[in-house]
Coordinates of all heavy atoms in Angstrom, one line a residue:
L46 N 0.8 -1.2 0.0 CA 0.0 0.0 0.0 C 0.9 1.3 0.0 O 0.5 2.3 -0.6 CB -0.9 0.0 1.2 CG -2.0 -1.1 1.2 CD1 -2.8 -1.1 2.5 CD2 -3.0 -0.9 0.0
A47 N 2.0 1.2 0.6 CA 2.9 2.3 0.7 C 3.7 2.5 -0.5 O 4.1 3.7 -0.9 CB 3.8 2.2 1.9
D48 N 4.0 1.5 -1.2 CA 4.9 1.6 -2.5 C 4.4 0.6 -3.5 O 4.9 -0.5 -3.6 CB 6.3 1.4 -2.1 CG 7.3 1.7 -3.3 OD1 6.8 1.8 -4.4 OD2 8.5 1.9 -3.0
R49 N 3.3 0.9 -4.2 CA 2.7 -0.1 -5.1 C 3.6 -0.4 -6.2 O 3.6 -1.6 -6.7 CB 1.4 0.5 -5.7 CG 0.3 0.7 -4.6 CD -0.9 1.3 -5.2 NE -2.0 1.3 -4.3 CZ -2.2 2.3 -3.3 NH1 -1.3 3.2 -3.2 NH2 -3.2 2.2 -2.5
V50 N 4.4 0.5 -6.7 CA 5.3 0.2 -7.8 C 6.4 -0.9 -7.4 O 6.6 -1.9 -8.1 CB 6.1 1.5 -8.3 CG1 7.1 1.1 -9.3 CG2 5.0 2.5 -8.8
A51 N 7.0 -0.7 -6.3 CA 8.0 -1.7 -5.8 C 7.3 -3.0 -5.5 O 7.9 -4.1 -5.8 CB 8.7 -1.1 -4.6
A52 N 6.1 -3.0 -5.0 CA 5.4 -4.2 -4.7 C 5.1 -5.0 -5.9 O 5.3 -6.2 -6.0 CB 4.1 -3.9 -3.9
R53 N 4.7 -4.4 -7.0 CA 4.4 -5.1 -8.3 C 5.7 -5.6 -8.9 O 5.7 -6.7 -9.4 CB 3.7 -4.1 -9.2 CG 2.2 -3.9 -8.9 CD 1.5 -3.2 -10.1 NE 2.1 -1.9 -10.4 CZ 1.5 -0.8 -9.8 NH1 0.5 -0.9 -9.1 NH2 2.1 0.4 -10.1
R54 N 6.8 -4.9 -8.7 CA 8.0 -5.4 -9.3 C 8.6 -6.6 -8.5 O 9.2 -7.5 -9.1 CB 9.0 -4.2 -9.2 CG 10.4 -4.6 -9.9 CD 11.3 -3.4 -9.9 NE 11.8 -2.9 -8.6 CZ 11.4 -1.9 -8.0 NH1 10.5 -1.1 -8.5 NH2 11.9 -1.6 -6.8
L55 N 8.4 -6.6 -7.2 CA 9.0 -7.6 -6.4 C 8.1 -8.9 -6.2 O 8.6 -9.9 -5.8 CB 9.4 -7.1 -5.0 CG 10.5 -6.0 -5.0 CD1 10.6 -5.3 -3.7 CD2 11.8 -6.5 -5.4
A56 N 6.8 -8.7 -6.4 CA 5.9 -9.8 -6.1 C 6.2 -11.1 -6.8 O 6.1 -12.2 -6.2 CB 4.5 -9.3 -6.4
P57 N 6.4 -11.1 -8.1 CA 6.6 -12.4 -8.8 C 7.8 -13.2 -8.2 O 7.6 -14.4 -8.0 CB 6.9 -12.0 -10.2 CG 6.3 -10.7 -10.4 CD 6.4 -10.0 -9.1
A58 N 8.9 -12.6 -7.9 CA 10.0 -13.3 -7.3 C 9.7 -13.8 -5.9 O 10.0 -14.9 -5.5 CB 11.3 -12.5 -7.3
L59 N 8.9 -13.0 -5.2 CA 8.6 -13.3 -3.8 C 7.7 -14.6 -3.8 O 8.0 -15.6 -3.1 CB 7.9 -12.2 -3.1 CG 7.5 -12.4 -1.6 CD1 7.5 -11.0 -0.9 CD2 6.1 -13.0 -1.5
F60 N 6.7 -14.6 -4.7 CA 5.8 -15.8 -4.7 C 6.5 -17.0 -5.3 O 6.2 -18.1 -4.9 CB 4.6 -15.5 -5.6 CG 3.6 -14.5 -4.9 CD1 3.3 -13.3 -5.4 CD2 3.0 -14.9 -3.7 CE1 2.4 -12.4 -4.8 CE2 2.1 -14.1 -3.0 CZ 1.8 -12.8 -3.6
G61 N 7.5 -16.8 -6.1 CA 8.3 -17.9 -6.6 C 9.1 -18.5 -5.5 O 9.2 -19.8 -5.4
R62 N 9.7 -17.7 -4.7 CA 10.5 -18.2 -3.6 C 9.6 -19.0 -2.6 O 10.0 -20.0 -2.1 CB 11.2 -17.1 -2.8 CG 12.4 -16.4 -3.6 CD 13.2 -15.5 -2.7 NE 12.5 -14.4 -2.2 CZ 12.3 -13.2 -2.9 NH1 12.8 -13.1 -4.1 NH2 11.6 -12.2 -2.4
L63 N 8.4 -18.4 -2.3 CA 7.5 -19.1 -1.4 C 7.1 -20.4 -2.0 O 6.9 -21.4 -1.2 CB 6.3 -18.2 -1.1 CG 6.6 -16.9 -0.3 CD1 5.3 -16.1 -0.2 CD2 7.2 -17.2 1.0
A64 N 6.8 -20.5 -3.3 CA 6.4 -21.8 -3.8 C 7.5 -22.8 -3.7 O 7.2 -24.0 -3.4 CB 6.0 -21.6 -5.3
V65 N 8.7 -22.4 -4.0 CA 9.9 -23.4 -3.9 C 10.0 -23.8 -2.5 O 10.2 -25.0 -2.2 CB 11.2 -22.7 -4.4 CG1 12.4 -23.6 -4.1 CG2 11.1 -22.5 -5.9
A66 N 9.9 -22.8 -1.5 CA 10.1 -23.1 -0.1 C 9.0 -24.1 0.4 O 9.3 -25.0 1.1 CB 10.0 -21.8 0.7
A67 N 7.8 -23.9 -0.1 CA 6.7 -24.8 0.3 C 7.0 -26.3 -0.1 O 6.8 -27.2 0.6 CB 5.4 -24.3 -0.2
G68 N 7.5 -26.4 -1.4 CA 7.8 -27.7 -1.9 C 8.9 -28.4 -1.1 O 8.9 -29.6 -0.8
V69 N 10.0 -27.6 -0.8 CA 11.1 -28.1 -0.1 C 10.7 -28.5 1.3 O 11.1 -29.6 1.8 CB 12.3 -27.1 -0.1 CG1 13.4 -27.5 0.9 CG2 12.8 -26.9 -1.5
A70 N 10.0 -27.6 2.0 CA 9.6 -27.9 3.4 C 8.7 -29.1 3.6 O 8.7 -29.8 4.6 CB 9.0 -26.7 4.0
A71 N 7.9 -29.3 2.5 CA 6.9 -30.4 2.6 C 7.6 -31.8 2.7 O 7.0 -32.7 3.3 CB 6.0 -30.4 1.4
V72 N 8.8 -31.9 2.2 CA 9.4 -33.2 2.2 C 9.8 -33.7 3.6 O 9.3 -34.8 4.1 CB 10.7 -33.2 1.3 CG1 11.4 -34.5 1.4 CG2 10.3 -32.9 -0.1
P73 N 10.5 -32.9 4.4 CA 10.8 -33.3 5.8 C 9.6 -33.2 6.8 O 9.7 -33.8 7.8 CB 12.0 -32.4 6.2 CG 11.8 -31.2 5.4 CD 11.2 -31.6 4.1
L74 N 8.6 -32.4 6.4 CA 7.5 -32.2 7.4 C 6.3 -33.1 7.2 O 5.4 -33.1 8.0 CB 7.1 -30.7 7.3 CG 8.1 -29.7 7.8 CD1 7.5 -28.3 7.6 CD2 8.5 -29.9 9.2
A75 N 6.2 -33.8 6.0 CA 5.0 -34.5 5.7 C 4.6 -35.5 6.8 O 3.5 -35.5 7.4 CB 5.1 -35.2 4.4
Y76 N 5.6 -36.4 7.1 CA 5.3 -37.4 8.1 C 5.1 -36.8 9.5 O 4.2 -37.2 10.2 CB 6.4 -38.5 8.1 CG 6.2 -39.5 9.2 CD1 5.1 -40.5 9.1 CD2 7.0 -39.6 10.3 CE1 4.9 -41.4 10.1 CE2 6.8 -40.5 11.3 CZ 5.7 -41.4 11.2 OH 5.5 -42.4 12.2
P77 N 6.0 -35.9 10.0 CA 5.9 -35.4 11.3 C 4.5 -34.7 11.5 O 3.9 -34.8 12.6 CB 7.0 -34.4 11.5 CG 8.1 -35.0 10.6 CD 7.3 -35.5 9.4
L78 N 4.0 -34.0 10.5 CA 2.8 -33.3 10.6 C 1.6 -34.3 10.6 O 0.6 -34.1 11.3 CB 2.6 -32.3 9.5 CG 3.5 -31.0 9.6 CD1 3.3 -30.1 8.5 CD2 3.3 -30.3 11.0
W79 N 1.7 -35.3 9.8 CA 0.7 -36.4 9.9 C 0.7 -37.0 11.3 O -0.4 -37.3 11.9 CB 1.0 -37.5 8.9 CG 0.1 -38.6 9.0 CD1 -1.1 -38.8 8.4 CD2 0.2 -39.8 9.8 NE1 -1.7 -40.0 8.8 CE2 -0.9 -40.6 9.7 CE3 1.3 -40.2 10.7 CZ2 -1.1 -41.8 10.4 CZ3 1.1 -41.4 11.4 CH2 0.0 -42.2 11.2
F80 N 1.9 -37.3 11.8 CA 2.0 -37.9 13.1 C 1.4 -37.0 14.2 O 0.7 -37.4 15.1 CB 3.5 -38.1 13.5 CG 3.7 -39.1 14.6 CD1 3.8 -40.4 14.4 CD2 3.7 -38.6 15.9 CE1 4.0 -41.3 15.5 CE2 3.9 -39.4 17.0 CZ 4.0 -40.8 16.8

């Protein structure tokens, strides 16, 4: 809200990092969270 231009520029890379992170974290966490 404070800097819409910067937010639009940075958002794609941010969501990309989050998607990769979710996939990586899911591997060691799948069984413990099921447990």
Side-chain angles (χ1 to χ4, degrees):
L46 293 174
D48 190 342
R49 292 178 173 83
V50 174
R53 283 194 294 268
R54 184 175 68 253
L55 296 170
L59 185 151
F60 287 117
R62 290 192 296 274
L63 292 178
V65 171
V69 171
V72 175
L74 292 179
Y76 177 71
L78 291 179
W79 175 89
F80 195 93

